Amino acid sequence: MIPASICAVCNWHRRLFRSRLPAFPSSTKHRLYPSANLCMASRKCVIICIASFVNVFTCCGLNFAYGVYQALFERMAREPDTPFTGASPAEIDLIGTIGIALMTMGAPFVVAWSKRFSPRKVSFLGGIIFGLSMILASFGQQLWHFVLTQGLLLGIGTSLSYMTSVTVAPTWFSARRGLALGIILSGTGIGGLVWAPALTASINSIGYRNTLRLSGAISCVLVTCASSALAWEPEFKARLDIENSAATRSSAAGRFGGIFDVPLVDWRVAKTSKFAAHALGSIFQAAAYYIPVFFFASYAITLGYSTTAGSNFIAISNACNALGKIVIGYAADRIGRLNTLFLTTLMSAVATVCFWLPSTASSDAGSDSRNLFISFTIFYGIFASAYVSLFPASIVELFGVQNFASVNGVLYMVRGMATLIGTPVGGVMIRSSTRGLGPKAYEDMSILVSCLLFAATLSVMWVRLEAMAGSHGQRKWKQ
């Protein structure tokens, strides 16, 4: 047993030692132990990445799996007494096209609302609208009911959640921004890979109306839960708080004043050649990109595949989509994001010309046509989808973090408008074709996609040349 006198001496020395330690304020402690802050920041980056991935997986995954409904509704259009009886492929395609187009057309507003009210609230509202849109669509009795719900309302919900995620996430990353966005936007491919066969199995089991209700409920839960983790990077948020305070003081209507004002890009940025080139590339690529995505299943059926096998092509494309975004995003951080953007856009155009276009040349479904289409599905999934993940990273590369939010919003809106034009035009080409309903009916569509993608490639080359000249006349090859 230790004597009381020894304990007293030990306690006295302990108090003396503690009293001579300097008392650091909390801010000093953080500077002395930066690893704790780095650990917390890294953990938050991981959380932001996961939450954004879940939102993209759910909202974009279901949008990318719309080809399942496209094939189903086209088959119902040839049957009597259905909501789609007599509808053309272009009219049915309008449902998915509106949803995809509004996903990005609402970008300027969503970005502004996320900056003013917090990304958590905006994305949460998007999850509610997204789930509700599919539940309401399940009660549709005419084509226009589905256009309003599964198209318009679903597009609004997607935009609120998707655009918030892809705008918040880049503020947390710098050196590995390409990889982070690749992982997040791989959710479109992984989502399509999961949702396409799941929707097909569910439709065969419980019907398309109950499938809409079930997927609406599941998506609502997933998006609202993920939205609770979204937040701006602290330094970026500090700047936003100053901007919002100034805007609130200057607005007579307070915090809600001018919420429908479109945030414009700085004119000094908008008048540059690289902005015009990037906008042009966005228009061409977006007009082409979703045409094959929506018609994979329908085209596969013309090659003699079953409905289930047709939906598997959507799944294969989305699996390649996910893999391509992660691997290419990782490579982009090393060889340059603009370099990678050019190469992947070029490869997507080459894949269309070399594989899809030849597969439509035959009027019957031969083995050569099938093999070519399988090759196209794989290569298009890998390379065309890379544009979507590299697009936000390239904006930061070209215009800086300070202009990212406004430029990102406006260019995404431009992409949405292009989608709203390009995809329906592709659908009209099927209906206006005089070659029947075989593979050859899609020949004009494949030519359209090829031309648009090559035009996008030339535009990206222009962007690369504009960005190549660095400061003091130096050339930047890794960019």
Side-chain angles (χ1 to χ4, degrees), residues 59 123 125-127 129-130 152-162 223:
C59 297
S123 182
L125 177 62
I129 296 174
F130 188 89
L152 180 66
L153 202 57
L154 184 125
I156 294 171
T158 303
S159 183
L160 290 170
S161 297
Y162 168 74
V223 175

Side-chain angles (χ1 to χ4, degrees), residues 263-287:
L264 300 177
V265 179
D266 189 326
W267 174 244
R268 290 170 297 182
V269 174
K271 68 180 182 180
T272 61
S273 298
K274 60 184 178 182
F275 181 84
H278 212 27
L280 200 60
S282 300
I283 291 170
F284 288 134
Q285 203 276 342

Side-chain angles (χ1 to χ4, degrees), residues 162 185 289-290 325 384-392 412 415:
Y162 168 74
L185 290 169
Y289 178 51
Y290 294 103
K325 283 177 178 174
S385 62
Y387 190 100
V388 179
S389 62
L390 293 171
F391 182 71
Y412 263 114
R415 283 182 61 79

Side-chain angles (χ1 to χ4, degrees), residues 49-397:
C49 197
I50 293 172
S52 300
F53 173 85
V54 171
N55 279 350
V56 174
F57 167 86
T58 307
C59 297
C60 297
L62 278 165
N63 273 288
F64 272 57
Y66 175 74
V68 173
Y69 289 109
Q70 176 76 25
L72 172 66
F73 295 163
E74 283 186 28
R75 190 170 69 250
M76 293 175 65
R78 297 190 289 271
E79 300 172 357
D81 301 325
T82 74
F84 309 98
T85 300
S88 69
E91 290 171 333
I92 294 170
D93 172 68
L94 195 61
I95 300 169
T97 299
I98 289 176
I100 286 287
L102 288 179
M103 176 178 79
T104 54
M105 282 178 66
F109 300 103
V110 175
V111 170
W113 297 338
S114 298
K115 291 167 69 176
R116 182 175 293 195
F117 302 112
S118 92
R120 183 178 296 111
K121 294 177 182 177
V122 174
S123 182
F124 185 90
L125 177 62
I128 298 294
I129 296 174
F130 188 89
L132 185 62
S133 68
M134 285 187 284
I135 294 172
L136 291 176
S138 69
F139 298 99
Q141 298 299 322
Q142 296 182 45
L143 175 62
W144 68 269
H145 296 165
F146 291 86
V147 172
L148 288 179
T149 53
Q150 199 177 358
L152 180 66
L153 202 57
L154 184 125
I156 294 171
T158 303
S159 183
L160 290 170
S161 297
Y162 168 74
M163 287 308 310
T164 302
S165 300
V166 298
T167 305
V168 166
T171 64
W172 287 88
F173 300 91
S174 56
R176 301 191 180 278
R177 187 179 290 122
L179 176 61
L181 285 170
I183 292 172
I184 291 167
L185 290 169
S186 70
T188 59
I190 296 174
L193 173 64
V194 173
W195 286 110
L199 290 175
T200 302
S202 180
I203 290 170
N204 293 335
S205 176
I206 61 176
Y208 77 95
R209 294 189 184 275
N210 285 330
T211 297
L212 284 167
R213 292 162 192 153
L214 179 62
S215 56
I218 293 173
S219 61
C220 182
V221 172
L222 287 174
V223 175
T224 52
C225 289
S227 299
S228 63
L230 293 180
W232 293 111
E233 189 272 333
E235 291 185 8
F236 189 85
K237 186 178 185 302
R239 291 197 297 269
L240 285 182
D241 290 341
I242 296 172
E243 293 177 11
N244 290 335
S245 297
T248 302
R249 287 194 299 268
S250 63
S251 175
R255 193 180 183 191
F256 291 89
I259 61 172
F260 292 105
D261 293 342
V262 177
L264 300 177
V265 179
D266 189 326
W267 174 244
R268 290 170 297 182
V269 174
K271 68 180 182 180
T272 61
S273 298
K274 60 184 178 182
F275 181 84
H278 212 27
L280 200 60
S282 300
I283 291 170
F284 288 134
Q285 203 276 342
Y289 178 51
Y290 294 103
I291 296 176
V293 171
F294 284 171
F295 288 94
F296 269 129
S298 299
Y299 182 70
I301 291 172
T302 68
L303 295 176
Y305 290 101
S306 66
T307 303
T308 302
S311 68
N312 288 339
F313 276 94
I314 300 174
I316 292 170
S317 174
N318 283 306
C320 298
N321 175 324
L323 179 63
K325 283 177 178 174
I326 296 173
V327 174
I328 292 173
Y330 179 81
D333 289 331
R334 278 149 182 78
I335 67 173
R337 289 145 196 166
L338 294 178
N339 293 335
T340 311
L341 187 68
F342 169 73
L343 291 173
T344 53
T345 308
L346 175 62
M347 289 302 298
S348 64
V350 170
T352 307
V353 170
C354 293
F355 299 121
W356 192 23
L357 180 57
S359 77
T360 66
S362 176
S363 58
D364 58 350
S367 60
D368 289 342
S369 295
R370 290 188 175 196
N371 292 334
L372 287 167
F373 184 59
I374 292 171
S375 300
F376 169 71
T377 302
I378 294 170
F379 285 103
Y380 189 83
I382 292 172
F383 293 111
S385 62
Y387 190 100
V388 179
S389 62
L390 293 171
F391 182 71
S394 67
I395 290 174
V396 177
E397 195 89 14

Side-chain angles (χ1 to χ4, degrees), residues 455-474:
T457 302
L458 293 175
S459 299
V460 175
M461 180 187 290
W462 181 17
V463 173
R464 185 66 192 87
L465 293 174
E466 290 289 339
M468 191 179 293
S471 58
H472 309 295
Q474 296 176 347

